[in-house]
Amino acid sequence: DAYEDLKRARDDREENTRRAVHYNHDEHAFLELPWKSCNVGDLLLVKKAQPFPCDMLVVASANSSGSFYVCTKSLDGETNLKEKHVQPLGLAALAQTRGAAEFAAELLKVGLEVEL
């Protein structure tokens, strides 16, 4: 049991030190932070085939149809990709919280095409 506990603690430490690209409102820029620093409401930039640290509401996709694919192997062991879709109202609501123009400009700056 002690061996399993030590292994689990090591694996958790390794997972929590992975990096996520997080939007910093003060600096108006995306910065890398450890997964353990992600909080509810944070805006994260996730690129193709990149693991992500938490449950997320996807507000934009590089795919013009708004679809994206998620691998849930680490959660349920299934290796097939699951197709998901961006919820259009989520992006509009997020944009209204800071001003649509400023929000769109930041997203476009990092290479996402967004229609508001």
Side-chain angles (χ1 to χ4, degrees):
D1 284 338
Y3 173 77
E4 289 298 320
D5 289 343
L6 288 172
K7 184 178 180 321
R8 189 175 304 115
R10 187 192 71 221
D11 291 346
D12 286 347
R13 210 173 15 261
E14 185 178 308
E15 256 328 88
N16 287 330
T17 57
R18 286 187 178 199
R19 309 292 283 178
V21 180
H22 168 271
Y23 184 77
N24 183 299
H25 293 283
D26 296 331
E27 297 187 29
H28 300 286
F30 284 93
L31 307 173
E32 279 196 11
L33 292 175
W35 280 10
K36 65 183 176 184
S37 298
C38 293
N39 294 305
V40 172
D42 285 351
L43 181 62
L44 303 177
L45 177 65
V46 179
K47 296 183 179 181
K48 184 177 183 178
Q50 179 183 15
F52 50 90
C54 52
D55 292 341
M56 298 176 64
L57 170 64
V58 177
V59 296
S61 169
N63 189 332
S64 61
S65 70
S67 64
F68 59 96
Y69 297 88
V70 177
C71 175
T72 59
K73 183 179 178 184
S74 63
L75 297 174
D76 58 18
E78 292 186 25
T79 57
N80 57 323
L81 296 175
K82 293 169 181 61
E83 184 176 13
K84 304 291 181 180
H85 296 276
V86 172
Q87 299 300 314
L89 293 176
L91 180 58
L94 184 60
Q96 288 175 0
T97 64
R98 336 186 11 233
E102 180 186 4
F103 182 72
E106 289 297 328
L107 289 177
L108 291 171
K109 187 170 117 181
V110 294
L112 296 176
E113 294 180 19
V114 178
E115 212 173 285
L116 295 175

